[in-house]
Amino acid sequence: MIAAILPPAVAVEAAYEDLVPGPADPLFPEEGERIAKAVPKRQREYTTVRLLARRALLRLGQPPVPLLSTKRGAPRWPDGIVGSMTHCDGYRAAVVARSAGTASVGIDAEPDAPLPDGVLDTIALPDETERVKFLTERHPGVGWDRLLFSAKESVFKAWYPLTGLELDFSEADITIDPVEGTFRARLLVPGPRVDGREIGVFDGRWIAERGLVASVIHIPR
């Protein structure tokens, strides 16, 4: 699903159910220690996305390595690699690319269902709330509030590796194109610098299928 909205230079691995590590595809001890006390559901998600990430890395010729996280939860990739992970009920995915051609990439998948009551008010700017209402009325069949949430998650996942800073939901104003399958995030704070230029807008793509919505941000060099 996510592979359909990313450029060919990005290696993608995804699964619609959890994977079980084996002798040829193990979970590293360091990773196991990180989730030893987690509930079983979290352990399965954590394990699956890392197995997928290593499969994606192999497609770039990268040997298997432990994939640990920063304090913020962002994965630490091997030198020369950028990437992103996502997991939700019924879907897990990991994507990686060479940093020589890709500055950053962020992905997120969510169930295609309305957000719980009150969540939209927490994550959306007033203009975004109005756009969601318009999309819901004019283009039914997609959980537009959930897609907005997904897009904001993808924006943060692309933003954080470039800046090392937090980005609040209120600091990016997102407009979704329901026909082209694209969205644009206008940053309301100074943007990251990539190759000597400040980026004030993140352009992304989205897809809805199999009861899921997914979004991606790919920032090329």
Side-chain angles (χ1 to χ4, degrees):
M1 182 174 73
I2 281 180
I5 52 175
L6 279 166
V10 181
V12 182
E13 290 287 337
Y16 290 93
E17 58 186 18
D18 286 315
L19 305 178
V20 178
D25 202 9
L27 193 67
F28 281 81
E30 304 97 306
E31 296 168 332
E33 291 173 3
R34 296 292 181 96
I35 56 163
K37 297 181 180 179
V39 299
K41 181 177 185 292
R42 171 60 180 155
Q43 291 181 351
R44 292 192 298 269
E45 293 169 344
Y46 181 99
T47 298
T48 297
V49 293
R50 276 156 180 78
L51 298 182
L52 292 170
R54 279 193 277 277
R55 293 179 184 181
L57 286 168
L58 282 172
R59 294 174 55 188
L60 299 183
Q62 295 287 319
V65 294
L67 297 171
L68 305 178
S69 301
T70 66
K71 291 181 179 180
R72 182 58 180 78
R76 293 191 180 100
W77 301 103
D79 290 344
I81 299 294
V82 296
S84 185
M85 300 177 181
T86 187
H87 54 76
C88 68
D89 288 344
Y91 190 72
R92 288 89 169 87
V95 306
V96 293
R98 298 191 185 282
S99 59
T102 296
S104 190
V105 60
I107 67 170
D108 185 75
E110 303 286 338
D112 188 358
L115 288 170
D117 290 344
V119 174
L120 182 63
D121 293 337
T122 302
I123 68 151
L125 298 165
D127 285 349
E128 292 174 326
T129 300
E130 290 303 311
R131 292 179 203 132
V132 165
K133 290 179 180 178
F134 176 85
L135 289 168
T136 301
E137 292 172 359
R138 297 295 182 90
H139 300 275
V142 174
W144 297 107
D145 58 347
R146 185 76 69 159
L147 180 58
L148 176 67
F149 177 83
S150 176
K152 295 220 172 198
E153 287 290 301
S154 288
V155 168
F156 176 77
K157 290 179 181 181
W159 155 278
Y160 186 77
L162 295 174
T163 65
L165 301 173
E166 297 292 323
L167 184 71
D168 192 78
F169 285 121
S170 65
E171 293 177 328
D173 184 9
I174 293 176
T175 303
I176 299 170
D177 188 318
V179 177
E180 297 297 326
T182 61
F183 65 92
R184 170 161 286 191
R186 180 171 59 89
L187 299 175
L188 304 181
V189 293
R193 298 191 69 82
V194 175
D195 300 332
R197 63 189 179 93
E198 182 178 320
I199 298 178
V201 171
F202 286 180
D203 287 314
R205 299 182 68 192
W206 65 268
I207 191 170
E209 64 177 42
R210 297 183 65 157
L212 302 163
V213 292
S215 60
V216 305
I217 297 282
H218 177 260
I219 302 175
R221 291 288 181 187

